[in-house]
Each structure stands twice: as structure tokens, then as C-alpha cells.
Amino acid sequence: MKKNDSNIKKAIKYLNNNECIAIPTETVYGLAGNAYSDIAVSRIYKLKKRPRNNPLIAHYYSINDLKKDCEIDNNFIKLYKKFCPGPISFVLKLKKKSKVSKIITNNSNSVAVRFPSHPLTRKLLKKINYPLAAPSANISTGISPISKQDVVDEFGPKLKFILDGGSSKIGLESTIINLIGKPYILRLGGINSKLIYKLINPLENKNKKRIKIKVPGTSKLHYSPGIPVRLNAKNNFQNEAYILIKKRIKINKNYFYISKTSNLNEAAKNLYRTLRKIKKNGYKKIAIEKIPNINIGEAINDRILRASKK
Ligand code: TXA
Ligand code: MG
């Protein structure tokens, strides 16, 4: 416990100096900096090699902090009460007096926000008086990190500090919902889309127009392991790594289980770790067996589909 407290102190020191650091969240590790500081957020873009037109998510401790920067409505409050803190991000309208750096919003009047539930990061957020801008802590277009070691593998000594919070519980990024105009989901993720739509009253939104937002992060090439990925594979070719979710009787050195019992939460948690391992082991190709498209399986399929695009 004492160790955690002193690490949080260190983290705050870096953040107050406009440095970026890695933070643990329940979804994936984030590359965090003061969301009110142009200097800090510029450093995030530079380190991550992220195109400047791709906006970042601002991470808050609570709704009270958020209200200073964003407009909120009933849909937001319903979803916040049910799922936050947790793996859901909201695109909201910025208030005129918002202090959020224009760099993270790509100069638009909206911003994506989230309330991560990881206890260490919550402790950190509670102690600072600014939100944290944090994209996933990986070089742009690659696989998100789910442990301290993954972050080290991405940035090496270029990143001065990583707040170690063990491995991420969910292992896939947050669900992103746009709440400006008619609500719709921009990215599938940690919270299943059906649970979200259940809570939002369709009558209330009947007359609202769907405001279309196009952002690079929801584009095709993303979450890429850097080698070809073949989906819905019934078996694997020689020398092809084969990702499975159900135990096989046959033993094969090229089999990589993300679950042995078709447990989709377990599969989500192990997916990125396994993709990294396969690449480290020197494989040149990956096959993945069919993943049921239910619950978090929806988000797994979204990520592996993007990973399979050339
Ligand atoms: O789970 C997560 O969401 C993780 C952890 C660290 O919180 N963060 C994360 O951030 O995945 P990032 O930057 O890797 O992905 C955020 C996605 C990007 O695809 C970005 O284009 C989109 O959210 N996004 C950010 N701001 C947006 C906005 N104002 N409107 C629409 N999309 C936005
Ligand atoms: Mg990312």
C-alpha cells in the first residue's frame, strides 16, 4: 500500500511538470498527461506518433469534475449511474468556458470523456485538479498494452514513468458512445452495446438527428499486430499461429488458447497479450477460430476484424 502511495506521488510530480506517464486502467494502459495543458498533450501525440487530427479521451474522477467542462443530459446521467466508473466513454459537447486543451479535441466543440475504475488511477485522479488525456499507451495503430511490461516494450526509456497496476481486468478498450444528437455507438468495447441501448429511451431521441462523426481511430487499420491475420479459421496451416477459445484434444505447439472453455470475458482479457506473444515468438501469420458474436465477443470480433485488414 505504502509503495502505491509513493508511486502516486511520483506520478503527480511528473504530471504537474507536463510530462506524460503510463497509467493502468481496467480496459488497457493509457499514456496520460494533463488534459488542460497544451504542452502535456502535445507530448502524448509526439511519443505515440499519433496523427494530430485524432482526438484523445479525457479521464475524470467524477461527474462533478466533468460538469465544469461538458454539457450533460439525461442519457448521460442514466449511463453514468449504471456504468461509471467503468469501461465506457462518452462524446459530449464542450462548455464555452471549458479548460480542456483544444489539441485533444482537434479544435472541435466536442470531447470524449471517461471515468476509469482502476483503483490506483482513481486515487490519482482524485488527487489532481485536472483531467487526464489518455490514449492507449502504444505506438499509433498497434496493439493496446495491458501490463507494465507491454508499455515498456512499446516506448522503452523514452517514457519516464509507468504507474504499475497489474494487468488490465478487461483487456479491451472502452465502448465509445456519441451523445451529441441521436446517441450511437462509435466503438464497441468493454460494455455491451445492447445493455447501453436498453437504458436509453428511444422515444426521447426519436426526433434527434444522428450527427455523424468521423475519426481516424474508428477507421479500418488499427489494433494491428503487424502480421497477417486470418479470421474464422477452421484449422491452421503449417507455421501459422492458431488462436483458439475451446480446448482441442490434439496438442500442437502452434495453438494459443485465449480461453479453453469459450469464456468470452477470459478471451477478451487474453487477446492482446496473446497477439503480442505470437509476434514475439517470430510467427509470420496468425489464424483465429470463429468467436461467437455475443456479449464482449462483439468487441473481440470488431478488434480482430480491424487487425485482419491490410
Ligand atoms: O479504454 C479506453 O478507452 C482507453 C483507456 C486508456 O482509457 N483509451 C483509448 O484511447 O482507447 P484511444 O485514443 O486509443 O482511442 C480512443 C478512440 C480513438 O479512436 C479516437 O479517434 C476516438 O476514441 N475519439 C476520441 N475523441 C473523440 C471525439 N471527440 N469524438 C469521436 N471519437 C473520439
Ligand atoms: Mg488506441
Side-chain angles (χ1 to χ4, degrees):
M1 259 302 85
K2 275 226 171 89
K3 181 112 209 295
N4 281 342
D5 287 343
S6 77
N7 281 338
I8 286 177
K9 259 195 196 150
K10 256 190 216 163
I12 293 174
K13 224 173 172 181
Y14 282 109
L15 292 168
N16 285 345
N17 280 328
N18 287 325
E19 302 271 7
C20 41
I21 62 166
I23 55 164
T25 88
E26 71 282 16
T27 57
V28 301
Y29 272 67
L31 186 62
N34 179 350
Y36 290 160
S37 155
D38 289 348
I39 299 170
V41 298
S42 295
R43 286 182 170 152
I44 297 176
Y45 279 92
K46 191 164 173 218
L47 194 54
K48 199 178 146 74
K49 302 195 176 106
R50 172 137 162 161
R52 284 281 192 138
N53 63 351
N54 192 357
L56 307 182
I57 301 175
H59 296 62
Y60 287 84
Y61 177 72
S62 75
I63 194 167
N64 285 335
D65 300 335
L66 174 89
K67 275 182 187 159
K68 295 175 204 153
D69 295 321
C70 296
E71 309 278 359
I72 56 170
D73 64 5
N74 280 339
N75 281 330
F76 172 79
I77 291 168
K78 273 189 236 170
L79 294 168
Y80 178 84
K81 278 190 179 154
K82 176 86 180 172
F83 299 118
C84 296
I88 180 167
S89 301
F90 309 90
V91 176
L92 301 175
K93 240 191 217 145
L94 278 168
K95 281 189 172 163
K96 282 227 167 66
K97 55 173 196 198
S98 147
K99 287 200 268 180
V100 173
S101 160
K102 284 281 170 206
I103 299 172
I104 81 161
T105 66
N106 191 23
N107 270 318
S108 95
N109 55 3
S110 64
V111 65
V113 301
R114 157 163 144 70
F115 307 86
S117 68
H118 192 293
L120 262 190
T121 289
R122 272 187 69 71
K123 234 178 170 176
L124 168 64
L125 284 168
K126 197 174 175 184
K127 289 202 160 117
I128 52 182
N129 53 8
Y130 45 84
L132 291 176
S136 51
N138 54 280
I139 306 288
S140 195
T141 76
I143 299 171
S144 299
I146 59 151
S147 68
K148 178 178 176 180
Q149 187 56 49
D150 290 348
V151 181
V152 172
D153 291 347
E154 288 287 330
F155 299 110
K158 280 190 188 155
L159 182 61
K160 293 195 183 124
F161 186 73
I162 303 171
L163 186 60
D164 188 357
S167 52
S168 297
K169 271 198 180 139
I170 294 174
L172 286 183
E173 302 80 356
S174 62
T175 305
I176 306 179
I177 182 161
N178 175 28
L179 291 180
I180 301 173
K182 194 176 181 131
Y184 68 99
I185 287 175
L186 278 161
R187 177 178 73 182
L188 296 166
I191 292 186
N192 186 253
S193 56
K194 286 200 185 70
L195 296 178
I196 292 175
Y197 283 130
K198 232 192 208 165
L199 266 189
I200 299 176
N201 184 349
L203 289 177
E204 200 178 298
N205 301 303
K206 202 174 64 182
N207 299 321
K208 283 190 182 166
K209 255 184 54 198
R210 185 168 156 153
I211 315 271
K212 197 114 181 70
I213 311 186
K214 180 88 186 109
V215 280
T218 45
S219 70
K220 284 190 180 124
L221 179 75
H222 223 85
Y223 313 102
S224 166
I227 52 176
V229 175
R230 193 163 63 82
L231 304 181
N232 302 322
K234 293 213 167 98
N235 26 51
N236 63 325
F237 299 124
Q238 223 187 352
N239 299 330
E240 199 178 30
Y242 194 17
I243 296 183
L244 298 161
I245 57 160
K246 261 191 318 283
K247 180 109 183 92
R248 299 295 200 274
I249 296 165
K250 203 174 107 186
I251 293 173
N252 184 315
K253 69 172 175 31
N254 298 330
Y255 286 1
F256 292 84
Y257 289 103
I258 50 176
S259 168
K260 287 183 177 166
T261 57
S262 290
N263 178 324
L264 291 173
N265 288 328
E266 189 189 357
K269 187 173 169 165
N270 288 322
L271 177 69
Y272 287 161
R273 187 203 322 270
T274 305
L275 288 171
R276 277 178 189 273
K277 189 164 152 199
I278 288 171
K279 220 186 142 192
K280 260 191 192 165
N281 289 2
Y283 284 90
K284 298 284 182 287
K285 281 179 182 173
I286 305 176
I288 308 182
E289 87 166 311
K290 192 176 169 91
I291 311 281
N293 205 37
I294 48 165
N295 302 325
I296 202 161
E298 248 183 24
I300 299 177
N301 280 319
D302 171 78
R303 300 305 188 273
I304 59 180
L305 179 65
R306 291 172 203 271
S308 73
K309 301 279 181 204
K310 289 189 192 88

